[in-house]
Amino acid sequence: MSNPLISVSDLTVTFGGSRPVHAVNGVSFTVGTGEVLGLLGESGCGKSVTLRSLLRLHPPRRTTYGGRIEVDGHDILSMSEEQLRRYRGSVTSMIFQEPLLAFDPVYSIGRQISEAIRRHRAMDGTAAEAEAIRLLDRVQIPQAARRYHAYPHEMSGGMRQRAMIALALSCRPKLLLADEPTTALDATVQIQILLLLRELQREMGLSIIFVTHDIGVAVEISDRVAVMYAGRIIEEGPIAGIIGGPAHPYTRGLLASTVTQNMRGTRLEAIPGAPPDLADLPPGCAFAPRCSHASATCLASIPAYETHAGRGVACFHSLNDEGVPPSVTAKVS
Amino acid sequence: MLVYLLKRLLYALPIALSVTLVCFLLVHIAPGDPLNAVVPADAPAEVVNALKAAYGFDKPLPVQYVRWLGRALTGDLGTSVATGRPVADEVLSAVRNTILLAVIAAIIGFALGALLGGVAGYRHRGIVDRLATALSVVGVSVPHYWLGMVLTIIFSTRLNWLPAMGAGPGGSKEWLWDGEHIRYLVLPVATLMVIPLGIVTRTIRALVADTLSKDFVQALRAKGLSDRAVFLHVVKNVAPTALAVMGLQLGYLMGGSILVETVFAWPGSGFLLNTAIFQRDLPLLQGTILILCLIFVLLNLMVDVLQPLIDPRMRRS
Ligand SMILES: Nc1ncnc2c1ncn2[C@@H]1O[C@H](COP(=O)(O)OP(=O)(O)O)[C@@H](O)[C@H]1O
Ligand SMILES: [Mg+2]
């Protein structure tokens, strides 16, 4: 890929306090123009924190960033507040998990969309309103002109998320950050929203980073997926490759849990144990305490991230297609 | 919306009516005869009966209530037993003085409280926050009358800077907006505003901090809004609840200043209430309580009408 639109290298995010939380610990990835990257992982592994870092949305006084984030030529971590405000919403915008909470309850959704339009595009009130109505219509909200005046609590979950998408795309961004936008919706609405996103993405040539803990959703929307665990990307590759042959034991566990999900109705049961405390990370591989392949090396040191033929994995005992750990891939330093 | 307004107005009517009933019964439930204060204990029975008939006390209670209510509606609240002047006049001039005091104390207390609470909410756990919290605890827990007396001792008795008694030079009853009269306002206002200041500070601080922790604030920042634009959203979110608290506080200030008005001999409704109680002037007591209660009902009505104008979530009928 020539010159990716987004390039994150060795990103670290730490929240200060009496027990500093190391939410992101050296994350690197790239996303090309018009590409959709799925970011997978159990809850609490730092997906949202990574995503919000691309807008530098974390509380400034408590957050320490490390590494580098570049989006469309902007160096996000060294921007001034003013540059940041111009960048947010216009180059990169975001849709959230719970649209009811992501809209201001005392403003109509239409006004919240035209507010963004007036912020970034040279339009007066009337033009911005017309544009907002056009956008509401574009995301297939019926009677868009009337819905412009509706308040968030007056709409259904699916309609609210459509309005959120209209808001996010109102200033023609190049990158859309989607933080589990379908998790709070029921299955049929979920699919409609995914289809709409896919359609708009193709139409606008948009890049998307799509966070989810649901592999089914990731398959539906992504070109490529990155799997996160305890603030690190532990495996990455084209969606088909990951599904067909997961190399990391954690990815394998995640996939297995998705299979059992339908039968038992519980999520992620296949992996025993819980993710580590981000304020007190183990010295070795963060997954080792839960891993059936773990060796003494795994507990002692962190495996390097190795890339090969578009796939990447960070594991001393990464699995081949048959699920057998080939000992040659272990590279102890 | 119009339907809601009409409904809310209709709800206010029975409340107002019950207020009148309670006020009426108050006098008749109170121990002692309403005429005790004016009639000597050894007065002959005919005189007492004649007086009772003159005041209408010989009729059955429901009849008395309806007649009293009918007169009250036309603005006739009877005559003060002690002074012989119409109760309505006494109450009205006292209420005017109280409103003056309460509104000025409210404006200052609310403004300062909103400012302090707003900064404290934004700078959660900062220096201003700690200061504001300490101040609001003190404000809410220090007894009114004690503060009033302390202020009087310092600024009036010791330093002789400000007058301590009355609402104008020479016990003047006519309020004027001149420097001489305003000097009389300083100490009572300073005393009275402490509680609303404390409560409003605490309320606004909590509301602002809570609003800022909401997801939508992040979403607003994510679309590139400036801090000032986000602040406007915060204000509109905080306003409905803040308004309700302020309305309630204004209500308390109207009626709850008995002790402060007594300490400063301020000729307001609280002072009047105090006089009426100690002189056992029942018509005056009844009239004063009635007017104060109705003001309270009216304030609540205003808050209920204003709130949904700001907050669309409250517009559902
Ligand atoms: N503003 C913050 N301050 C402190 N800790 C935070 C903050 N935001 C997130 N975290 C912590 O970072 C960790 C990762 O959270 P998150 O990225 O939201 O997980 P997820 O993968 O489910 O999206 C969690 O332990 C969370 O408590
Ligand atoms: Mg999350």
Side-chain angles (χ1 to χ4, degrees):
Chain A
M1 201 169 303
S2 64
N3 234 359
L5 180 76
I6 300 117
S7 137
V8 173
S9 39
D10 206 22
L11 175 70
T12 59
V13 182
T14 307
F15 299 109
S18 50
R19 287 181 82 225
V21 174
H22 303 279
V24 176
N25 304 298
V27 159
S28 305
F29 60 85
T30 60
V31 184
T33 304
E35 192 185 19
V36 181
L37 174 73
L39 206 53
L40 264 171
E42 284 170 289
S43 97
C45 68
K47 305 183 298 291
S48 300
V49 173
T50 304
L51 209 60
R52 279 157 201 242
S53 301
L54 278 115
L55 283 167
R56 229 171 85 195
L57 267 185
H58 299 294
R61 275 172 299 141
R62 288 195 296 116
T63 313
T64 318
Y65 297 95
R68 190 175 166 82
I69 301 175
E70 210 169 296
V71 180
D72 193 31
H74 302 274
D75 178 0
I76 308 306
L77 296 183
S78 62
M79 276 184 177
S80 72
E81 283 294 320
E82 182 50 42
Q83 288 171 321
L84 200 57
R85 279 197 291 275
R86 247 178 285 134
Y87 157 82
R88 288 173 177 164
S90 66
V91 179
T92 300
S93 63
M94 185 153 175
I95 56 180
F96 297 83
Q97 176 167 351
E98 186 38 91
L100 183 61
L101 303 177
F103 276 116
D104 183 335
V106 304
Y107 284 76
S108 74
I109 56 132
R111 264 198 68 187
Q112 298 187 54
I113 296 173
S114 46
E115 187 179 34
I117 295 173
R118 295 178 67 177
R119 170 75 186 79
H120 293 293
R121 295 164 72 175
M123 284 195 190
D124 64 8
T126 348
E129 178 170 343
E131 175 67 1
I133 292 172
R134 192 190 66 76
L135 283 158
L136 289 174
D137 193 53
R138 181 64 196 86
V139 296
Q140 294 151 27
I141 290 181
Q143 296 176 290
R146 205 167 58 83
R147 287 311 184 111
Y148 179 92
H149 301 284
Y151 289 92
H153 72 268
E154 296 169 338
M155 299 177 100
S156 70
M159 284 301 144
R160 274 196 291 263
Q161 197 57 285
R162 283 171 195 272
M164 183 46 65
I165 293 169
L167 167 61
L169 301 183
S170 63
C171 300
R172 317 203 139 271
K174 296 186 169 161
L175 169 63
L176 177 68
L177 307 172
D179 193 352
E180 312 210 23
T182 59
T183 306
L185 306 172
D186 51 26
T188 45
V189 182
Q190 190 166 334
I191 297 198
Q192 291 168 2
I193 297 285
L194 288 176
L195 288 176
L196 175 69
L197 269 178
R198 207 38 166 157
E199 182 189 328
L200 290 166
Q201 183 263 331
R202 295 228 169 90
E203 184 183 304
M204 300 173 70
L206 204 60
S207 303
I208 299 183
I209 303 177
F210 194 105
V211 162
T212 178
H213 59 244
D214 185 335
I215 293 193
V217 169
V219 168
E220 208 66 54
I221 191 111
S222 333
D223 302 315
R224 214 150 43 86
V225 288
V227 182
M228 276 191 86
Y229 189 78
R232 289 194 183 91
I233 289 180
I234 49 97
E235 178 161 14
E236 193 198 327
I239 181 78
I242 298 279
I243 299 286
H248 198 288
Y250 175 66
T251 315
R252 194 159 274 255
L254 267 188
L255 286 170
S257 72
T258 310
V259 176
T260 55
Q261 185 183 347
N262 296 335
M263 294 186 280
R264 305 198 197 155
T266 44
R267 212 164 21 221
L268 304 179
E269 217 184 5
I271 312 172
D277 181 358
L278 291 173
D280 185 21
L281 283 170
C285 171
F287 186 60
R290 298 168 73 186
C291 182
S292 55
H293 302 284
S295 61
T297 320
C298 302
L299 294 168
S301 54
I302 298 172
Y305 189 78
E306 313 258 356
T307 50
H308 173 66
R311 291 281 298 267
V313 65
C315 179
F316 292 119
H317 308 289
S318 64
L319 313 168
N320 64 13
D321 288 356
E322 286 78 46
V324 185
S327 49
V328 279
T329 45
K331 188 177 154 193
V332 188
S333 47
Chain B
M1 194 62 207
L2 214 66
V3 176
Y4 168 82
L5 285 184
L6 285 177
K7 254 191 190 160
R8 190 58 194 79
L9 271 171
L10 278 180
Y11 284 143
L13 273 183
I15 298 173
L17 213 62
S18 353
V19 164
T20 61
L21 189 62
V22 170
C23 286
F24 173 78
L25 287 178
L26 208 64
V27 170
H28 293 270
I29 292 167
D33 199 276
L35 288 177
N36 276 357
V38 273
V39 184
D42 55 352
E46 311 87 79
V47 178
V48 174
N49 285 339
L51 270 170
K52 271 191 176 168
Y55 278 100
F57 289 145
D58 55 342
K59 301 277 188 316
L61 276 183
V63 176
Q64 283 192 44
Y65 171 65
V66 171
R67 288 174 65 181
W68 174 78
L69 188 63
R71 282 200 309 266
L73 283 177
T74 60
D76 175 11
L77 293 174
T79 41
S80 159
V81 176
T83 64
R85 291 185 51 202
V87 168
D89 291 0
E90 297 262 7
V91 175
L92 234 56
S93 85
V95 162
R96 218 182 301 129
N97 284 330
T98 293
I99 289 180
L100 180 76
L101 202 60
V103 166
I104 291 176
I107 289 174
I108 298 176
F110 293 172
L112 277 179
L115 187 73
L116 216 61
V119 174
Y122 256 90
R123 291 265 169 270
H124 205 51
R125 300 208 178 91
I127 292 175
V128 177
D129 185 18
R130 272 170 220 180
L131 206 79
T133 309
L135 208 78
S136 63
V137 169
V138 172
V140 174
S141 26
V142 160
H144 254 141
Y145 55 90
W146 179 83
L147 181 66
M149 289 192 286
V150 169
L151 288 180
T152 306
I153 291 169
I154 297 175
F155 292 101
S156 202
T157 317
R158 285 278 157 78
L159 298 171
N160 207 16
W161 287 352
L162 292 162
M165 307 274 273
S172 124
K173 289 230 161 168
E174 275 305 297
W175 178 258
L176 290 170
W177 280 109
D178 58 20
E180 202 38 55
H181 278 78
I182 288 173
R183 273 162 49 85
Y184 282 81
L185 267 175
V186 177
L187 288 183
V189 164
T191 309
L192 210 54
M193 69 168 214
V194 168
I195 287 184
L197 172 65
I199 287 179
V200 168
T201 302
R202 205 160 63 175
T203 309
I204 302 261
R205 170 188 174 271
L207 287 171
V208 167
D210 178 56
T211 306
L212 285 175
S213 75
K214 293 266 168 70
D215 281 5
F216 76 79
V217 173
Q218 280 219 10
L220 291 173
R221 294 212 170 104
K223 65 183 184 187
L225 292 194
S226 63
D227 288 344
R228 182 147 41 93
V230 173
F231 175 72
L232 290 180
H233 280 264
V234 173
V235 168
K236 208 175 167 194
N237 273 271
V238 164
T241 314
L243 204 77
V245 170
M246 288 177 179
L248 209 61
Q249 283 303 307
L250 189 60
Y252 289 147
L253 283 183
M254 292 292 187
S257 50
I258 286 199
L259 291 171
V260 174
E261 287 187 358
T262 306
V263 167
F264 291 103
W266 184 268
S269 55
F271 190 59
L272 192 66
L273 219 49
N274 191 24
T275 319
I277 290 169
F278 282 104
Q279 297 185 342
R280 289 198 62 78
D281 191 339
L282 288 176
L284 187 62
L285 185 63
Q286 202 175 32
T288 313
I289 292 176
L290 179 67
I291 296 297
L292 288 178
C293 289
L294 289 180
I295 289 177
F296 207 85
V297 171
L298 194 72
L299 272 171
N300 271 316
L301 179 65
M302 272 159 56
V303 167
D304 281 2
V305 168
L306 280 176
Q307 257 186 320
L309 285 180
I310 307 174
D311 192 338
R313 287 167 299 181
M314 296 181 181
R315 267 172 228 164
R316 276 181 287 190
S317 41

